[in-house]
Amino acid sequence: MLTKPIIIGIAGASGSGKTLLASQLYDLLVADFGDQQIKIINEDCYYRQRDNMTFAEREKVNYDHPDAFEHELLLKHLVSLASGKGVQIPQYDYTSHNRRLGVTKIKPANVILVEGILIFHHAELRNQFDLKIFVDVDLDVCLSRRLARDIKERGRTTDSILLQYQETVRPMYHEFIYPGKKHADLVVPKGGKNATAICVFQNYIRSILEPKAK
């Protein structure tokens, strides 16, 4: 293992394609090097546990505000992984708006991908990333993708998605997410559909991992 892992952050609006970009990159690299060399962490896993709230109350939470996330735990986990220690990542259930029972155990790896909407907001967390990528996609495209995803995968209604988008998603993007773009090392349009960007990132990470593989 490298003395210190390379930690890559991929941020952008909800529906921008950042998760697709991260997962495609992860799958390509696992095919090359195996899943012991590279790990992926989703910021959504760090939505705060809300056992003290009813489902109706949890529905009203602003999930696009930085306070919705337990970023202090994500920071702690990245520091632990950087020092060669494994971590236990929470699991999140979008349908109940709360954490599930159980955790996902992640062992240290040479490359760690972290994706999420607000991972560049807090300076201390942002400083953990060796490479910061911002996925920049028109918000109308993000909304259409979000509608398709949330209806199919998260059991949401069109009205609830549009209401949340108008009240919190779009305003929080302008207030907290988009400002993270200025901290990015690279800005990527099209998200997970940008084959050129994925190829460039794959080759960059391959150049890091290949010497270890040999």
Side-chain angles (χ1 to χ4, degrees):
M1 183 171 167
L2 297 174
T3 304
K4 179 185 178 301
I6 303 299
I7 303 179
I8 300 172
I10 303 174
S14 174
S16 63
K18 65 190 179 308
T19 303
L20 180 60
L21 187 148
S23 62
Q24 288 186 343
L25 189 56
Y26 173 81
D27 290 342
L28 288 168
L29 291 162
V30 166
D32 288 339
F33 300 100
D35 60 6
Q36 300 304 307
Q37 293 287 328
I38 182 165
K39 304 295 181 183
I40 187 168
I41 295 175
N42 305 107
E43 182 191 34
D44 285 8
C45 294
Y46 293 86
Y47 274 123
R48 294 187 183 277
Q49 190 160 357
R50 301 184 185 277
D51 294 341
N52 60 329
M53 300 175 68
T54 65
F55 178 77
E57 289 172 330
R58 292 197 297 270
E59 281 190 304
K60 297 177 182 178
V61 171
N62 182 351
Y63 291 100
D64 294 87
H65 191 282
D67 291 346
F69 294 94
E70 194 176 354
H71 280 140
E72 58 272 27
L73 179 61
L74 174 56
L75 173 62
K76 179 181 178 181
H77 282 174
L78 294 183
V79 171
S80 293
L81 289 167
S83 65
K85 301 175 183 176
V87 298
Q88 296 185 346
I89 297 176
Q91 298 181 24
Y92 190 75
D93 182 4
Y94 296 101
T95 58
S96 66
H97 306 295
N98 204 4
R99 288 183 185 172
R100 296 190 183 107
L101 293 175
V103 294
T104 301
K105 296 180 180 179
I106 298 289
K107 294 181 179 179
N110 283 321
V111 174
I112 299 168
L113 302 176
V114 184
E115 68 87 12
I117 59 174
L118 286 162
I119 57 174
F120 296 165
H121 176 67
H122 292 292
E124 195 172 4
L125 178 60
R126 184 171 66 241
N127 290 338
Q128 297 300 310
F129 301 116
D130 300 287
L131 176 64
K132 294 181 286 293
I133 300 167
F134 188 89
V135 179
D136 196 13
V137 176
D138 186 275
L139 287 184
D140 288 339
V141 175
C142 293
L143 175 57
S144 65
R145 292 175 179 173
R146 185 183 176 99
L147 277 165
R149 179 198 68 194
D150 285 7
I151 291 171
K152 181 179 179 181
E153 299 178 11
R154 300 180 183 179
R156 302 280 304 280
T157 65
T158 299
D159 287 346
S160 71
I161 296 167
L162 291 176
L163 180 63
Q164 183 186 29
Y165 185 80
Q166 293 167 357
E167 291 187 344
T168 61
V169 177
R170 189 180 182 92
M172 295 301 99
Y173 171 79
H174 289 296
E175 186 172 355
F176 296 112
I177 300 170
Y178 185 76
K181 180 180 176 180
K182 66 177 179 289
H183 301 293
D185 301 301
L186 295 167
V187 176
V188 177
K190 302 179 184 178
K193 298 183 182 299
N194 192 325
T196 301
I198 292 173
C199 183
V200 170
F201 298 143
Q202 181 187 10
N203 289 334
Y204 166 72
I205 298 173
R206 182 184 285 121
S207 71
I208 297 169
L209 294 179
E210 277 183 343
K212 290 298 296 182
K214 294 177 181 178

